[in-house]
Amino acid sequence: NCADACCEQCSMTADESFYCECLAVVSADERPTACMTVLLGVMKVAQKAIHGAHWRASGESSYGDHTLLQRLYELYSDEIDDVGEKAIYLGEESVCSVMLVTCIEMLLAGRAQGILTDMSTCIFYESVVVDTLDRVWDTLVDNEMFTEGIGNMLAQFRDTHEKSLYLLKRRTSIPR
């Protein structure tokens, strides 16, 4: 198992282990472009989780929560499409594999078990998206597959999700 081997070799954190585990699911031959399939899977599950929280918004602040969460989950549709198209451009056909993307979704959903509130769940997923964007950037740079267009896309997505994370944390009064 890649995650176990990585953790033993370089004392990876749980987030790093998760990323490594996802890469192992997507790419037995360790293709650098597999990071794009990991990103796609992470974004799809984050969108689903945030959309679910949007549906369940209730209580005194339900209108504001409902509106904020709708704004957040709607961001993902175009981003997911862009990631898929850039991945295909790089030759990463696995983004089209429902099975692989579903495996990534299941791995990530398993890590969210036990989070008690919808807002905390949204913060968790947004944090994973930001972290994964950083790892994809590094992977593509390290493997000389980075282009200006991909850099612009990843930077824009990172900025957007960092702002989303800020808004969610402000809503729940969780310190940065």
Side-chain angles (χ1 to χ4, degrees):
N1 177 317
C2 176
D4 294 338
C6 288
C7 290
E8 289 171 12
Q9 289 175 7
C10 56
S11 303
M12 287 188 160
T13 65
D15 289 341
E16 291 166 327
S17 168
F18 165 75
Y19 183 74
C20 185
E21 192 173 348
C22 286
L23 284 175
V25 165
V26 173
S27 174
D29 61 353
E30 301 181 10
R31 292 182 318 277
T33 56
C35 63
M36 297 296 282
T37 301
V38 172
L39 178 58
L40 186 87
V42 166
M43 292 177 94
K44 288 182 107 174
V45 73
Q47 180 188 39
K48 289 176 185 177
I50 293 168
H51 201 164
H54 159 81
W55 288 332
R56 289 184 300 273
S58 63
E60 195 173 304
S61 60
S62 64
Y63 180 77
D65 291 350
H66 188 81
T67 303
L68 170 62
L69 296 172
Q70 180 174 352
R71 178 176 153 201
L72 300 182
Y73 81 75
E74 286 178 346
L75 292 170
Y76 279 101
S77 293
D78 287 338
E79 290 177 348
I80 288 167
D81 188 54
D82 288 346
V83 169
E85 289 170 357
K86 293 287 188 186
I88 297 295
Y89 166 78
L90 290 172
E92 183 56 35
E93 299 286 330
S94 68
V95 292
C96 299
S97 170
V98 173
M99 182 182 73
L100 288 175
V101 172
T102 301
C103 285
I104 293 166
E105 291 177 2
M106 290 175 66
L107 285 170
L108 186 53
R111 296 204 178 234
Q113 292 297 324
I115 299 176
L116 300 178
T117 68
D118 281 334
M119 285 300 187
S120 294
T121 300
C122 293
I123 289 168
F124 167 77
Y125 283 112
E126 281 296 304
S127 297
V128 172
V129 168
V130 168
D131 182 67
T132 304
L133 286 163
D134 291 344
R135 292 178 192 289
V136 167
W137 181 290
D138 293 343
T139 299
L140 295 176
V141 167
D142 291 349
N143 288 280
E144 299 178 2
M145 301 187 83
F146 192 80
T147 67
E148 191 172 328
I150 290 171
N152 290 339
M153 177 190 75
L154 294 174
Q156 178 187 352
F157 292 174
R158 179 143 191 345
D159 181 57
T160 298
H161 291 283
E162 194 174 89
K163 286 177 189 172
S164 298
L165 197 51
Y166 167 78
L167 292 172
L168 288 166
K169 287 181 177 182
R170 287 281 306 208
R171 164 61 187 85
T172 57
S173 301
I174 293 176
R176 295 189 308 154

